[in-house]
Structures are given as C-alpha cells and as structure tokens.
Amino acid sequence: MGTGSRSRPATGVVSGFVLRMLRESIPLPQTGLAERLDIDLGTVQGWESGRRSLGNIRTMDLLQLRRNLALLGADGPLLGWLDAAMDADRILTAVLHPPAEPADHPLAGWVQSRETAHLVAWAVCGIIPPALRSRAIRPRRGPVAAGPQLSAADRTDFFAQLRQTAESADRAGERGLLLRRQSLYLASYDPAPDAEDWAEQALRSMRPALALRAYTPQWIEARTAATVAARQGDPVPLYDFVDALAADQHSELANLAYWAYWLGSMPPTQPDDGFLHRPDPTAWSPPHLFQQLVGSLHDAPGTVDLYVHSLHTLLHLHPWMPLADPASARHLRERAVELLDAGVLSPVSRRDIESVHYRLQQMN
C-alpha cells in the first residue's frame, strides 16, 4: 500500500446508510440500537452519518456487529449488502483522495461487483440499486436523507477525479487496464454535459479491440468499450461486439463468466481479469445466472442485445435450464414477445431471441 493512502480521510456514507436501513428493518431507533449493542449513541450516529466509517472497525468487532444485527432480526438479504457498501465507501474515498501510486487504487486491485458499482452510483447520482428500491423507498419521520448521497461539491469532484484516474491509468503498470476500464464504467454515470464527449475520447484506445474476432487479453477492452458506448447512446459497437462473440467459443465462455461474476453467480473473489483468460463453466451456477439475466432484462435498455445473446448462449449450453426454473422461463418467453414486437434489437439479436422464444415454446 502506498504512503499516500494511509492519510486519506475515509468516507463512510454508503455503509452508514445501509446500517441505518438495517436498523430500521428491525425496527429500532438509534437509541435502541445503541442500548442493544452496548455502545454509546454517538457511535451509532457517527456510523450512520458516515462520519465514522464502518470500514475502520476491527475485523472481530465488525463480525460481532453483523451477528448482533442478525440476532436482532435485521433484514437478511440487506445484511448481505454490507460488504459491498464498505467496498463502495473505499472506492469513493480513493477517487476523492487518490493514492500516491495508481496501482494502489482499489479500482486497480479488484474486479468490482455489480452491488458495489450500484451503491457507488447511488451515492454520486441518486440512482437506487434495483434490488434495494422496495427497502429504500419507505416513509420516514422528519427531514432525513433518502439515500447515501455525497454533497454536490463532492459529486462534482468525484467525476473530475475519476476522469483523471482513467487518463493516468497507464501509470498503474499491469493493473492499468483494470483501473482504466472500471473508472470508465463508473464515469458513464456522470451527468455533466460534456460526459459523452469525454467518454468517446477515453474509449478511443479501446476501440481497436472491437475489430478482434477471437479471444485475446484485450477482449475485455472490447466489452467495456461496447457497453459504455451503448450506455452513452451509441449501440453500433455493441452490435459489432455481439456479432464477434458468436464467432469464438472462448469469447462466449468469457462473456458468461463475466456475467456470472457481475450478477453474483460466482463468488466475488477475483483480483483481476485473469479468470476470463481461463473461463471455467464449473465455477458458476447456471440456474442462478439464468435467473439473474432474465430478471435484469427490464433494466437494460441500452445493452439489451448483450443480454439477449448471453441468454441464447446459456440456453444452448444448458438446454435443460427452463425445466429447472419454469418461472424465469415463463418470464423470458413473455419478454421475448415484447422485444420482438418493439423492434429494438439488431438483426443478430433478433435471430437470437427468436431462437430462444422457439425453444421455450417447444418446452411449454
């Protein structure tokens, strides 16, 4: 760890808000939680406000806090978001107060999970993670915050610093690719008027990878360039990427492996993109991935072609999947009809969804 990272003030706004949601799920007031945990009220208030980062708690104390919250009846699935929340705080802290060495940046040292990315987006632009919407939108007394948002000044600074991080990623050596692509992904949430132009400039170095028709270590650059461009309103690179996927088995398996990591169908334990170079289908759960891909289709207006092709590939590899999860299969069949009627897919993706729909009808 570089020396610059030790003096950075920690941001605890995301984990603090998740802790507040956990307390409310019990439900207990702050005074009640402090009494049950046998700690002073100021500590609870400091955690929930983000002034005291949960990430600074000793490991054994954090473990005991989790167990105590579970014993008090806190929402179980929400409790599972605490790790991602602390990781989000770590990323926010590192972006706002960059380490002296880019290689020490958390975005250079770990492949972030979907939950972490969604929580960062919640803090910097107010987009509630889809999995938390029902828990986050609830009546509260008094003028309390509706989410873990940073101040307006910090949000502006976050995206300015993120751009600098992406532009200087080459200084991170072999971890530069991971740092750049993860910075670019988070930068795609930037609401600034010049964000699309900046992203287009930043993506230029990745675009040559889109011309590759077989898997190489630069494959993930092509995927990143295609998905970020689609989020910015340009679907053509994604169409080209999906077309190239179908021509190479390794690329197809790498795509499913990345989805499995992103959607929680395999443990979030990857320090870099090496797992894509040797994709192991036994490392992730096909039924869970099928369920997650189907369930996320409605949240993917810009990248729906990639979702459709990935489902087509998954069902080709595991034709028994609809029998294992009839509810998801039924939902996919209905969604396939909607997509075919809407006329929003590329010709390749339209053939994919027609094939998927035919397969599902035959098994109905």
Side-chain angles (χ1 to χ4, degrees), residues 107 112-114 116-118 121 159 162 166 178-190 198 203 206 223-224 227-228 231-232 258 262 303 307:
L107 290 176
Q112 66 179 334
S113 68
R114 175 180 60 165
T116 298
H118 283 184
F159 286 113
L162 197 60
L178 183 63
L179 177 59
R180 182 168 66 249
R181 75 168 182 82
Q182 296 201 126
S183 297
L184 282 170
Y185 179 84
L186 292 178
S188 68
Y189 287 105
D190 190 352
W198 176 85
L203 287 170
M206 290 185 173
R223 194 182 195 279
T224 300
T227 54
V228 171
R231 286 166 60 89
Q232 298 287 2
Y258 192 86
W262 182 251
T303 54
Y307 277 84

Side-chain angles (χ1 to χ4, degrees), residues 22-329:
L22 286 164
R23 173 179 58 78
E24 292 173 341
S25 74
I26 295 174
L28 281 174
Q30 287 182 333
T31 53
L33 183 62
E35 290 174 1
R36 297 293 188 91
L37 297 180
D38 194 25
I39 58 178
D40 63 87
L41 177 60
T43 297
V44 174
Q45 292 173 333
W47 285 340
E48 291 193 6
S49 67
R51 294 192 306 273
R52 295 185 178 184
S53 175
L54 282 175
N56 289 337
I57 299 177
R58 293 185 308 171
T59 302
M60 290 305 298
D61 291 339
L62 181 61
L63 177 62
Q64 192 58 49
L65 174 62
R66 292 173 181 276
R67 289 177 175 174
N68 286 337
L69 289 169
L71 288 170
L72 291 171
D75 184 318
L78 182 59
L79 193 58
W81 280 72
L82 206 50
D83 278 347
M86 289 188 291
D87 203 22
D89 282 333
R90 184 167 173 250
I91 290 172
L92 291 170
T93 298
V95 172
L96 291 169
H97 310 283
E101 297 295 333
D104 291 334
H105 202 292
L107 290 176
W110 203 258
V111 183
Q112 66 179 334
S113 68
R114 175 180 60 165
E115 288 76 12
T116 298
H118 283 184
L119 287 170
V120 170
W122 195 7
V124 297
C125 54
I127 301 175
I128 303 173
L132 298 183
R133 282 174 188 157
S134 62
R135 296 174 173 87
I137 303 174
R138 55 178 295 173
R140 293 185 171 94
R141 295 181 181 179
V144 296
Q149 285 204 4
L150 300 177
S151 67
D154 278 347
R155 292 198 299 272
T156 299
D157 191 33
F158 175 86
F159 286 113
Q161 294 283 4
L162 197 60
R163 292 186 185 188
Q164 292 184 24
T165 298
E167 291 166 355
S168 62
D170 288 343
R171 291 173 47 211
E174 62 182 14
R175 292 197 169 272
L177 172 59
L178 183 63
L179 177 59
R180 182 168 66 249
R181 75 168 182 82
Q182 296 201 126
S183 297
L184 282 170
Y185 179 84
L186 292 178
S188 68
Y189 287 105
D190 190 352
D194 67 335
E196 290 187 19
D197 290 338
W198 176 85
E200 172 61 28
Q201 292 289 332
L203 287 170
R204 284 188 177 180
S205 64
M206 290 185 173
R207 292 215 176 219
L210 287 167
L212 300 172
R213 304 300 292 183
Y215 186 87
T216 74
Q218 283 68 50
W219 175 87
I220 191 62
E221 289 191 343
R223 194 182 195 279
T224 300
T227 54
V228 171
R231 286 166 60 89
Q232 298 287 2
D234 179 9
V236 175
L238 187 65
Y239 296 162
D240 293 339
F241 178 76
V242 169
D243 188 43
L245 274 181
D248 182 65
Q249 185 179 21
H250 188 141
S251 298
E252 293 276 37
L253 291 176
N255 180 54
L256 291 181
Y258 192 86
W259 274 130
Y261 187 88
W262 182 251
L263 297 175
S265 302
M266 63 185 292
T269 55
Q270 300 299 332
D272 55 39
D273 294 324
F275 74 107
L276 301 176
H277 305 338
R278 302 170 300 278
D280 179 8
T282 67
W284 43 270
S285 166
H288 185 272
L289 181 56
F290 178 63
Q291 182 184 67
Q292 292 299 308
L293 283 171
V294 172
S296 300
L297 264 176
H298 64 283
D299 293 320
T303 54
V304 65
D305 290 84
L306 184 56
Y307 277 84
V308 164
H309 182 76
S310 302
L311 280 164
H312 177 266
T313 303
L314 184 62
L315 288 174
H316 177 73
L317 291 175
H318 304 286
W320 49 267
M321 200 69 62
L323 298 177
D325 188 350
S328 293

